[in-house]
């Protein structure tokens, strides 16, 4: 129980440097709730405002918070090539319905160093004709990198889209050994 009452939501956030640029990580008592790419000042400010609006409380910058410590440690280890899987509690409150179902399947069923097609992932959740809806779910993913939407590609061999930008997706796939490292 905190000084404001038992049921109050607490959201903390911090920015972590990574090989793909600064990442904003936000967590609640339930777990990691949001990862935001390219967390420059303007992007960070918009993300914090969005979290406040969606979660009903003002997020607090607290990168040393116990709510964030393990998430930051695991993200840093992932980019250092020392971690392949994330073992973190996740707060799924920013996503629901079909999108949540697809993202949970992605998180549990598509391991490091592998990829899955949009249509294949749709089939795994019992909606074989919903490849486009899976693409929308990937775009709505509030936990990229940790819930690895970068591992979802086009069935014909194309890389597909990516909310963090195609270069970011290529770099994540290269980190996992799916694509060769860029020459330049």
């Amino acid at each position: 129980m905190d000084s404001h009452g038992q049921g109050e939501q607490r959201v903390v956030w911090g920015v972590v440097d990574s090989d793909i640029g600064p990442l904003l990580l936000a967590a609640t008592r339930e777990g990691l709730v949001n990862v935001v790419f390219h967390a420059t000042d303007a992007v960070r400010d918009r993300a914090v405002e969005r979290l406040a609006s969606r979660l009903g409380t003002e997020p607090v910058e607290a990168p040393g918070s116990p709510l964030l410590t393990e998430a930051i440690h695991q993200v840093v280890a992932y980019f250092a090539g020392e971690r392949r899987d994330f073992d973190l509690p996740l707060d799924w409150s920013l996503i629901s319905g079909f999108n949540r179902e697809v993202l949970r399947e992605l998180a549990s069923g598509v391991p490091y160093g592998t990829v899955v097609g949009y249509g294949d992932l749709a089939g795994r959740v019992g909606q074989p004709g919903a490849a486009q809806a899976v693409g929308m779910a990937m775009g709505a993913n509030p936990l990229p990198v940790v819930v690895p939407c970068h591992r979802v590609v086009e069935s014909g061999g194309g890389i597909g889209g990516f909310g963090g930008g195609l270069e970011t997706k290529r770099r994540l796939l290269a980190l996992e050994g799916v694509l060769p490292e860029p020459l330049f």
Side-chain angles (χ1 to χ4, degrees), residues 70-88 112 146 151 175-176:
E70 186 59 22
I72 289 171
H73 173 74
Q74 289 189 27
V75 167
V76 168
Y78 170 81
F79 283 104
E82 300 164 359
R83 177 174 272 289
R84 293 175 166 234
D85 301 305
F86 292 97
D87 183 21
L88 297 168
Y112 182 97
V146 175
R151 296 180 190 155
L175 173 71
E176 295 189 8

Side-chain angles (χ1 to χ4, degrees), residues 92 94-106 118 121-122 125 130-144 147-150 152 161-163:
W92 294 94
L94 295 178
I95 197 132
S96 61
F98 176 80
N99 291 355
R100 183 187 291 188
E101 184 180 358
V102 169
L103 292 171
R104 283 182 180 262
E105 174 59 31
L106 174 64
Y118 293 94
L121 190 54
V125 296
Q132 282 188 313
V134 166
M136 298 298 287
M138 297 305 103
N141 182 3
L143 296 161
V147 176
C149 51
H150 59 277
V152 184
F162 195 61

